[in-house]
Amino acid sequence: MSTTSPKGFSAAGVAAGLKSSGDPDVAVVLNTGPDDAAAAVFTTNRFPAAPVQWSRQVLAGQRARAVVLNSGGANACTGPEGFQDTHATAEHAAGELGIGAIDVAVASTGLIGLRLPMAKLVAGVTAAVEKLSEDGGADAARAIMTTDSVPKTTVQQRDGWTVGGMAKGAGMLAPSLATMLVVLTTDAAADPDVLQRALEAATAVSFERVDSDGCLSTNDTVIVLANGASGVTPSGEELTEALTAAATDLAMQLLADAEGSTKDIAITVRNAATVEDALTAGRACARNNLLKTALFGNDPNWGRVLAAIGTTDAAFEADRVDVTINGVTVCRGGSIGDPREGVDLTGREITIDVDLRAGGEQATIWTNDLSIAYVHENSAYSS
Amino acid sequence: MSTTSPKGFSAAGVAAGLKSSGDPDVAVVLNTGPDDAAAAVFTTNRFPAAPVQWSRQVLAGQRARAVVLNSGGANACTGPEGFQDTHATAEHAAGELGIGAIDVAVASTGLIGLRLPMAKLVAGVTAAVEKLSEDGGADAARAIMTTDSVPKTTVQQRDGWTVGGMAKGAGMLAPSLATMLVVLTTDAAADPDVLQRALEAATAVSFERVDSDGCLSTNDTVIVLANGASGVTPSGEELTEALTAAATDLAMQLLADAEGSTKDIAITVRNAATVEDALTAGRACARNNLLKTALFGNDPNWGRVLAAIGTTDAAFEADRVDVTINGVTVCRGGSIGDPREGVDLTGREITIDVDLRAGGEQATIWTNDLSIAYVHENSAYSS
C-alpha cells in the first residue's frame, strides 16, 4: 500500500509513454488533508535538476498537497526551458486537482540532458489524477521505477498513526545518477519544523549511510507529507523513530536492488574518535574500487581495507587497527591476523568490522560490490 | 636501456622464485659514482609498507648507492617482522656490494599482507649483484613487473648528461594497489636539495596527475639517483625539465597499460579560478564510476561529467559550464549543446574539456575507463 497506507492519501501510477518500454512512468501522490505539512531533503549536487529547483521553492513554504513524479527523463541540465517544463507540469497538475501550483512538488528520474516530451507528460498527469485512489500506492511505486527490478514500499504502524512510503533507486545516496526518489506519507499531525528535523535525522542514518557507488545524483529527493488525519500528534522523538524505521526499510531495499550488485556489504567502523571519523573511514572503503572488486570475487582482501582507510585523516595508529570480515579477524594490529582461508564470502551478506582503537564512537556504511554486471549496466544505460 | 643509460650505473634483474610464474622478480640498480645524491617521494598512505618505511630512513640522508626492488610480494601490513625482512634485505645487498645498509633503498610490489620468502629473496639479491651490468637496465625493468603487460623505460638525453628511468604499475598514482615503483637515474651532478625539489616538481605534474582508479597504494615509491659522472651540473630548472620529461613519459606508459583499460582519457579543466579547483574538478570526473563506465561503452554521457563536478567545491556557476568531448561541445551553459551523436568515441584516446568560466587557470588529469576487464582482473588478482 505504501504511500496510501496512512489515512487521507490517494495515489496513482499510469503509463504516459515517457518510457519506450511502455511501462508506467507517471505517478501522483495526493494529500487529502486536513493538514498539509511537508518537509524534504534534496541532492547537494551543484547541478540540481529542474524539478529539484522547483520543489525547493514549494517546500520553502513547508507545505505541499501533492507530489507529481515521472520516470523516463531526469529533466536535469536542461536550462531555463527545462525549468519551464517542470513549472508547467506543476501548473497542469494543480489545475486538475483544483489547488495552487505552489502546493505541487515535482520529482523526475531518468537520463540527464534531454527535454521531457511535455504533451505525453501532461496527458499522463491528467490520467493519473483521474485514477487517484486510496489503493493507488502500489501503482505509484511501480511508476517511478527505472532500472529497479522491484518496487520499494514501506508501512510503519504506530499507536493510532502510520507512516507509509515508496522509493526508487538502483544506485544510492551518494547514489547512481539513476537517482533516488522517496515519498513518505503520514497521517500524524506534525509541526512543519518538527517534521523537517525528524526527516533530516531519519535520512542522516539511513539513505545518507548507503554509499553504493559514490556518485551523487542531480535529482535526489526525499519528501514527507503529514496530514494529521489520524488525529494523533506524536512527539518529535516518536516521529523521528517512525520516519527512521521507514527510511531504513527503504534504504535496505535500495541496497538489495543496486545495479548489478551481487553483495550487500555493511562496513562498521568501531572505536573511532568521532562518528565523523567512523563515517570517513567507512566511506573510503565503500568507494574503493579495488576492495569492491575483490569482494565481488569472494576475496577477503583485508589489505585493501587498510589501504582505503590509510588514505583518510581519521584518528588511528596504523599498528593498532583490526579488521574482521564475516567474523574472522584477518588483520590484527595492522598486520597479519587469522587465516583468510577461514572467511566465507559466498553469500550475499558481507560484514566488515574495522576497529580503530581510537575512541568510543562507531558508524555503519552500507555498500555493494563492483561487479561485471555493474559495468555492463552502466556502460549500456543510454546507448 | 633505462636506468643504465646515464654513465656510472649498472643494473640487473633475475628470477628468484618469488613469482609462481618463474618470471624475473628481483632487480638491483647500483650507482657507481662518483656522487651519490638521491631524492624520493613516497606514498602518503598511512599504512606504508615496510620497504617504504625503510627507504624513508635511507633517503633522509639524501644519499643512496643502490636500490633493491622485488615483485611477487608487497611486504605491506606485515608488522615488525616485515620491517626486519626489509632491513635484512638491505643488509644482505650491502654486504654483497661492499657498502653500508643505510645506502641501500628497498622497494617491493605484490600482494599486501603476506611475508616474503626471505631465503629466495636473499639468494635472488646475490644473483642480481653478480649479474650487475651497464647493459642491465632492461632486465631490471622486466623484473619489477606485476600485472604490467610491458616493461616501461625512458631515456632523456640532454647537453652532455642523461636521465634514464624505469617504472612498473598497472594502476596509478592514486594507483592500483598493484603499486607504482619508479627508479630514475642521472649522470648529472646535483645538490640533493635541488634534486629533491626537481623530483617533487616533476612528479606533481606527471604521476600525481594520473588517476586511474583513485586507489592509493601502500608501496608507491619514486627514487632518483644522481652521480655526476657526466661532469655536468645542470641548473635546477634544467634538472626539473629533464626529470619532468622522464616522469611524464613513464606516466603515459603506465596509463596506456592500466589494468583492463580500453580508453586513455585526458580531462582538462579550463578557466578555473585556481589550479587546485581545476585538479579537484578533474579528479572528481576521473573517479566517477558512472562516467568511466559510460566511456567504456562509447557513450558521451556529458550529464555524468556535470554531476561529477557538481559534487565539488570548485568555483563555477552551474549555468556557465561547457563540456566538450572529443571536439564536440555537447554541453553549453550547463545545458544541452551540440548533438551527442556527433561524438566519436571508438578510438582509445578520449579528451574531455570542461570550461568553468571562473578564472584563468587549468590542469589536466589523465585516467582510464572502468571496464569489465578491470573488474575481472581485480576480482581475480589474489584468488
Side-chain angles (χ1 to χ4, degrees), chain A residues 76-98:
Chain A
C77 304
T78 45
E81 297 83 1
F83 185 80
Q84 287 166 13
D85 290 343
T86 290
H87 190 181
T89 304
E91 289 277 7
H92 180 78
E96 298 282 358
L97 292 165

Short mmCIF file of all heavy atoms in Angstrom, two decimals, chain A residues 76-98:
data_model
loop_
_atom_site.label_atom_id
_atom_site.label_comp_id
_atom_site.label_asym_id
_atom_site.label_seq_id
_atom_site.Cartn_x
_atom_site.Cartn_y
_atom_site.Cartn_z
N ALA A 76 17.23 17.16 -16.08
CA ALA A 76 18.40 17.77 -15.43
C ALA A 76 19.31 18.33 -16.52
O ALA A 76 19.41 17.75 -17.61
CB ALA A 76 19.16 16.74 -14.61
N CYS A 77 19.98 19.47 -16.24
CA CYS A 77 20.87 20.11 -17.20
C CYS A 77 20.11 20.40 -18.49
O CYS A 77 20.61 20.15 -19.60
CB CYS A 77 22.11 19.24 -17.46
SG CYS A 77 23.01 18.83 -15.95
N THR A 78 18.93 20.96 -18.34
CA THR A 78 18.09 21.29 -19.49
C THR A 78 17.80 22.78 -19.56
O THR A 78 16.94 23.21 -20.35
CB THR A 78 16.76 20.51 -19.41
OG1 THR A 78 16.28 20.59 -18.06
CG2 THR A 78 16.94 19.06 -19.79
N GLY A 79 18.49 23.58 -18.72
CA GLY A 79 18.40 25.02 -18.82
C GLY A 79 17.05 25.60 -18.43
O GLY A 79 16.21 24.90 -17.83
N PRO A 80 16.83 26.89 -18.75
CA PRO A 80 15.57 27.55 -18.39
C PRO A 80 14.35 26.85 -19.00
O PRO A 80 13.29 26.79 -18.38
CB PRO A 80 15.74 28.96 -18.98
CG PRO A 80 17.21 29.17 -19.10
CD PRO A 80 17.80 27.81 -19.38
N GLU A 81 14.52 26.28 -20.18
CA GLU A 81 13.40 25.58 -20.81
C GLU A 81 12.97 24.38 -19.97
O GLU A 81 11.77 24.10 -19.83
CB GLU A 81 13.78 25.11 -22.22
CG GLU A 81 14.09 26.24 -23.19
CD GLU A 81 15.52 26.75 -23.06
OE1 GLU A 81 16.28 26.22 -22.22
OE2 GLU A 81 15.88 27.70 -23.78
N GLY A 82 13.95 23.68 -19.42
CA GLY A 82 13.62 22.52 -18.58
C GLY A 82 12.88 22.94 -17.33
O GLY A 82 11.94 22.26 -16.88
N PHE A 83 13.27 24.08 -16.76
CA PHE A 83 12.57 24.57 -15.57
C PHE A 83 11.12 24.94 -15.92
O PHE A 83 10.19 24.64 -15.17
CB PHE A 83 13.29 25.77 -14.97
CG PHE A 83 12.69 26.23 -13.68
CD1 PHE A 83 12.98 25.58 -12.48
CD2 PHE A 83 11.79 27.29 -13.66
CE1 PHE A 83 12.40 25.99 -11.29
CE2 PHE A 83 11.20 27.70 -12.46
CZ PHE A 83 11.50 27.05 -11.28
N GLN A 84 10.95 25.56 -17.10
CA GLN A 84 9.59 25.88 -17.53
C GLN A 84 8.75 24.61 -17.71
O GLN A 84 7.55 24.60 -17.41
CB GLN A 84 9.63 26.69 -18.83
CG GLN A 84 10.11 28.12 -18.63
CD GLN A 84 10.46 28.81 -19.93
OE1 GLN A 84 10.14 28.34 -21.01
NE2 GLN A 84 11.16 29.94 -19.82
N ASP A 85 9.37 23.55 -18.17
CA ASP A 85 8.65 22.28 -18.31
C ASP A 85 8.14 21.79 -16.95
O ASP A 85 7.00 21.34 -16.82
CB ASP A 85 9.54 21.22 -18.95
CG ASP A 85 9.84 21.50 -20.43
OD1 ASP A 85 9.11 22.30 -21.03
OD2 ASP A 85 10.80 20.90 -20.95
N THR A 86 9.03 21.85 -15.95
CA THR A 86 8.61 21.42 -14.61
C THR A 86 7.50 22.31 -14.06
O THR A 86 6.51 21.83 -13.50
CB THR A 86 9.82 21.44 -13.64
OG1 THR A 86 10.71 20.39 -14.00
CG2 THR A 86 9.37 21.24 -12.20
N HIS A 87 7.69 23.61 -14.25
CA HIS A 87 6.67 24.55 -13.78
C HIS A 87 5.33 24.26 -14.45
O HIS A 87 4.28 24.21 -13.79
CB HIS A 87 7.13 25.99 -14.07
CG HIS A 87 6.29 27.04 -13.42
ND1 HIS A 87 6.51 28.38 -13.56
CD2 HIS A 87 5.20 26.93 -12.62
CE1 HIS A 87 5.60 29.06 -12.88
NE2 HIS A 87 4.80 28.21 -12.29
N ALA A 88 5.35 24.02 -15.75
CA ALA A 88 4.12 23.73 -16.48
C ALA A 88 3.47 22.43 -15.98
O ALA A 88 2.24 22.32 -15.90
CB ALA A 88 4.41 23.62 -17.98
N THR A 89 4.31 21.48 -15.62
CA THR A 89 3.79 20.22 -15.07
C THR A 89 3.05 20.47 -13.77
O THR A 89 1.94 19.95 -13.54
CB THR A 89 4.95 19.23 -14.83
OG1 THR A 89 5.66 19.04 -16.06
CG2 THR A 89 4.43 17.89 -14.33
N ALA A 90 3.65 21.27 -12.90
CA ALA A 90 3.01 21.59 -11.62
C ALA A 90 1.72 22.37 -11.83
O ALA A 90 0.69 22.10 -11.19
CB ALA A 90 3.99 22.38 -10.73
N GLU A 91 1.76 23.33 -12.75
CA GLU A 91 0.56 24.12 -13.05
C GLU A 91 -0.57 23.21 -13.56
O GLU A 91 -1.73 23.34 -13.16
CB GLU A 91 0.88 25.18 -14.13
CG GLU A 91 1.76 26.32 -13.67
CD GLU A 91 0.97 27.42 -12.94
OE1 GLU A 91 -0.23 27.24 -12.68
OE2 GLU A 91 1.61 28.45 -12.62
N HIS A 92 -0.21 22.31 -14.45
CA HIS A 92 -1.22 21.43 -15.01
C HIS A 92 -1.82 20.53 -13.93
O HIS A 92 -3.05 20.38 -13.84
CB HIS A 92 -0.62 20.59 -16.14
CG HIS A 92 -1.60 19.67 -16.76
ND1 HIS A 92 -2.55 20.09 -17.68
CD2 HIS A 92 -1.84 18.35 -16.58
CE1 HIS A 92 -3.31 19.07 -18.03
NE2 HIS A 92 -2.89 18.00 -17.39
N ALA A 93 -0.96 19.93 -13.12
CA ALA A 93 -1.46 19.06 -12.04
C ALA A 93 -2.34 19.85 -11.09
O ALA A 93 -3.40 19.38 -10.65
CB ALA A 93 -0.28 18.44 -11.30
N ALA A 94 -1.90 21.07 -10.76
CA ALA A 94 -2.67 21.91 -9.84
C ALA A 94 -4.06 22.20 -10.42
O ALA A 94 -5.07 22.14 -9.70
CB ALA A 94 -1.92 23.22 -9.57
N GLY A 95 -4.11 22.49 -11.71
CA GLY A 95 -5.39 22.75 -12.35
C GLY A 95 -6.32 21.55 -12.27
O GLY A 95 -7.52 21.66 -11.95
N GLU A 96 -5.77 20.39 -12.54
CA GLU A 96 -6.57 19.17 -12.49
C GLU A 96 -7.05 18.88 -11.07
O GLU A 96 -8.13 18.31 -10.86
CB GLU A 96 -5.75 17.97 -12.99
CG GLU A 96 -5.30 18.07 -14.44
CD GLU A 96 -6.42 17.75 -15.41
OE1 GLU A 96 -7.54 17.41 -14.96
OE2 GLU A 96 -6.20 17.84 -16.64
N LEU A 97 -6.23 19.25 -10.07
CA LEU A 97 -6.55 18.93 -8.67
C LEU A 97 -7.30 20.05 -7.98
O LEU A 97 -7.78 19.88 -6.86
CB LEU A 97 -5.24 18.64 -7.90
CG LEU A 97 -4.49 17.37 -8.30
CD1 LEU A 97 -3.07 17.40 -7.75
CD2 LEU A 97 -5.24 16.13 -7.80
N GLY A 98 -7.39 21.20 -8.63
CA GLY A 98 -8.08 22.33 -8.00
C GLY A 98 -7.32 22.93 -6.84
O GLY A 98 -7.90 23.40 -5.86
#
